[in-house]
Amino acid sequence: MTDTNIVDLRSDTVTKPTPDMRQAMADAQVGDDVFGDDPTVNRLQEKVAELLGKEAAIFVPSGSMANQTAIRAQTQPGDEIIAHADSHIYHYEAGAPSGLSGCSLRLLPGPQGRYTASDVEAAIRPLDSHFPQSTLIVVENTHNRGGGSVWSIDSIAAIRAVADAHNLKMHLDGARLMNACIATGTPPAGYAKYFDTVSTCFSKGLGAPVGSAVAGTAATIRRVHRFRKMFGGGMRQAGIIAAGALYAIENHIDRLSDDHDNAKRLALAAAEMPGLSIDPDSVETNIAYFDVDENAGTAQSRCQTFREKGVWMLPVAPQRIRAVTHLDVSRDQIERAITVLGNVLGSQSAV
Ligand SMILES: Cc1ncc(COP(=O)(O)O)c(C=O)c1O
């Protein structure tokens, strides 16, 4: 099957740079960024700081490094980080908060990756030498395992008030912050102002091949810079990839609404199919989770059958499948995916 026949819904990280993005990368002016000499990296960092309304920003290779350098810069070994039980920093970053920063995690429950200010208040440790010290709260927006769910400004503001009352810092895992902004009409700085540090990714919905950034005060970003080096993330002629990120910021933010429409269309159609369940209202941005009925096989077996017919999705639990829309999935391809899912589920008995 050729690339053009495949509808790859496994993740929004699978996008390939567009011809214009590749051209911008080929044309990029570069220098040695470890010396601070790369003009394109410098331009990207200034642009991200401005977009997020922060004093400074730093380009890093990945979303995980963005989160983990921000965590390391704002905690001490023995501290405790408050985060959702489904958060990316807990599940998918190889245990880095403990491995790299020596911190434990206090995990909060809550629907679709969201918790409340009172959950946070109840989780903060008393100032007592027996306890780990709560120092940092991490919010993920949009929330990946929560189904691309979006946080409201009101709930974030309420958590900030608790953080201030107890002298805690807040980090935003904004790998998909731009999806939240497009879904709600809130500008990036409108979310970022509640956080001490913000990470954001260029290589997810924005379609750049690589790169993320951390933004915050100049003093915090100086510390992040040090930990980027320590964690092996200092890059040399990084302007080549920074140019892809700049191109993505300038050209690919507004179009995220197409991805959101496509995810909703897929969810609405799948909700009518036998063997799959999804609440279309739970799809707020570009991520949809489907539950596979036990009598319709497993997520693994269903994904295998869909894949043989050119529709790639990700089994994420024994009965759970994830589909993510992105720059390289058109509305026509979504319609094709719907036809394939409908044919497979309508015509096949349990596996
Ligand atoms: C919410 C969230 N944060 C962080 C990351 C980490 O990004 P990376 O894969 O670039 O390390 C991801 C990756 O999918 C993510 O979904």
CSV table of all heavy atoms in Angstrom, one decimal, residues 62-64 67 88 93 140 144 173 175-176 201 204, ligand 1:
chain,number,residue,atom,x,y,z
A,62,SER,N,12.8,17.9,22.4
A,62,SER,CA,11.5,17.1,22.5
A,62,SER,C,10.6,17.7,23.6
A,62,SER,O,11.1,18.4,24.5
A,62,SER,CB,11.8,15.6,22.8
A,62,SER,OG,12.3,15.6,24.1
A,63,GLY,N,9.4,17.2,23.5
A,63,GLY,CA,8.4,17.6,24.6
A,63,GLY,C,8.8,17.1,25.9
A,63,GLY,O,8.6,17.7,27.0
A,64,SER,N,9.3,15.9,25.9
A,64,SER,CA,9.8,15.3,27.2
A,64,SER,C,10.9,16.1,27.8
A,64,SER,O,10.9,16.4,29.0
A,64,SER,CB,10.2,13.8,27.0
A,64,SER,OG,9.2,13.0,26.5
A,67,ASN,N,9.5,19.3,29.3
A,67,ASN,CA,8.8,19.1,30.6
A,67,ASN,C,9.9,18.8,31.7
A,67,ASN,O,9.8,19.4,32.8
A,67,ASN,CB,7.9,17.9,30.6
A,67,ASN,CG,6.6,18.3,29.8
A,67,ASN,OD1,6.2,19.4,29.7
A,67,ASN,ND2,5.9,17.2,29.3
A,88,HIS,N,1.0,12.8,31.0
A,88,HIS,CA,2.2,12.3,30.2
A,88,HIS,C,3.4,12.3,31.0
A,88,HIS,O,4.2,11.3,30.8
A,88,HIS,CB,2.3,13.3,29.0
A,88,HIS,CG,3.1,12.7,27.9
A,88,HIS,ND1,4.5,12.7,27.9
A,88,HIS,CD2,2.8,12.1,26.7
A,88,HIS,CE1,5.0,12.1,26.8
A,88,HIS,NE2,3.9,11.7,26.1
A,93,GLU,N,7.2,9.4,30.1
A,93,GLU,CA,8.5,10.0,30.1
A,93,GLU,C,9.5,9.2,30.9
A,93,GLU,O,10.4,9.8,31.5
A,93,GLU,CB,8.4,11.5,30.5
A,93,GLU,CG,7.5,12.2,29.5
A,93,GLU,CD,7.3,13.7,29.7
A,93,GLU,OE1,8.0,14.4,30.4
A,93,GLU,OE2,6.3,14.2,29.1
A,140,GLU,N,-1.8,19.5,32.2
A,140,GLU,CA,-1.5,19.1,30.8
A,140,GLU,C,-2.7,19.6,30.0
A,140,GLU,O,-3.9,19.2,30.2
A,140,GLU,CB,-1.4,17.6,30.7
A,140,GLU,CG,-1.0,17.1,29.4
A,140,GLU,CD,-0.9,15.5,29.5
A,140,GLU,OE1,-0.3,15.0,30.4
A,140,GLU,OE2,-1.4,14.9,28.5
A,144,ASN,N,-3.6,14.5,26.8
A,144,ASN,CA,-3.5,13.4,25.8
A,144,ASN,C,-4.4,12.2,26.2
A,144,ASN,O,-5.4,11.9,25.5
A,144,ASN,CB,-2.0,13.1,25.7
A,144,ASN,CG,-1.7,12.0,24.7
A,144,ASN,OD1,-2.6,11.2,24.3
A,144,ASN,ND2,-0.5,11.9,24.3
A,173,ASP,N,2.2,21.6,30.8
A,173,ASP,CA,2.6,20.7,29.7
A,173,ASP,C,1.7,21.0,28.5
A,173,ASP,O,0.6,20.5,28.4
A,173,ASP,CB,2.5,19.2,30.1
A,173,ASP,CG,2.9,18.3,28.9
A,173,ASP,OD1,3.1,18.8,27.8
A,173,ASP,OD2,2.9,17.1,29.1
A,175,ALA,N,2.1,20.6,25.3
A,175,ALA,CA,2.5,19.9,24.0
A,175,ALA,C,1.5,20.3,22.9
A,175,ALA,O,1.9,20.5,21.8
A,175,ALA,CB,2.6,18.4,24.2
A,176,ARG,N,0.2,20.3,23.3
A,176,ARG,CA,-0.8,20.6,22.4
A,176,ARG,C,-1.6,21.9,22.8
A,176,ARG,O,-2.8,22.0,22.7
A,176,ARG,CB,-1.8,19.4,22.2
A,176,ARG,CG,-1.1,18.2,21.6
A,176,ARG,CD,-2.1,17.1,21.3
A,176,ARG,NE,-1.3,16.0,20.7
A,176,ARG,CZ,-0.6,15.1,21.5
A,176,ARG,NH1,-0.6,15.2,22.8
A,176,ARG,NH2,0.1,14.1,20.9
A,201,CYS,N,5.0,22.1,22.0
A,201,CYS,CA,5.7,21.2,20.9
A,201,CYS,C,5.3,21.7,19.6
A,201,CYS,O,4.2,22.1,19.3
A,201,CYS,CB,5.2,19.8,21.1
A,201,CYS,SG,5.8,19.0,22.5
A,204,LYS,N,3.9,18.1,16.9
A,204,LYS,CA,2.7,17.4,17.1
A,204,LYS,C,1.7,18.0,16.0
A,204,LYS,O,2.0,18.0,14.8
A,204,LYS,CB,2.2,17.4,18.5
A,204,LYS,CG,3.3,17.0,19.5
A,204,LYS,CD,3.0,16.2,20.6
A,204,LYS,CE,4.2,15.4,21.1
A,204,LYS,NZ,5.4,16.1,21.4
B,1,LIG,C1,0.9,15.8,26.4
B,1,LIG,C2,2.3,15.5,26.0
B,1,LIG,N1,3.4,16.0,26.6
B,1,LIG,C3,4.6,15.7,26.2
B,1,LIG,C4,4.9,14.9,25.2
B,1,LIG,C5,6.3,14.5,24.9
B,1,LIG,O1,6.7,14.8,23.6
B,1,LIG,P1,8.0,14.1,22.9
B,1,LIG,O2,7.4,12.9,22.3
B,1,LIG,O3,8.4,15.1,21.9
B,1,LIG,O4,9.0,13.9,24.0
B,1,LIG,C6,3.8,14.3,24.5
B,1,LIG,C7,4.0,13.4,23.3
B,1,LIG,O5,3.1,12.9,22.7
B,1,LIG,C8,2.5,14.6,24.9
B,1,LIG,O6,1.4,14.1,24.3
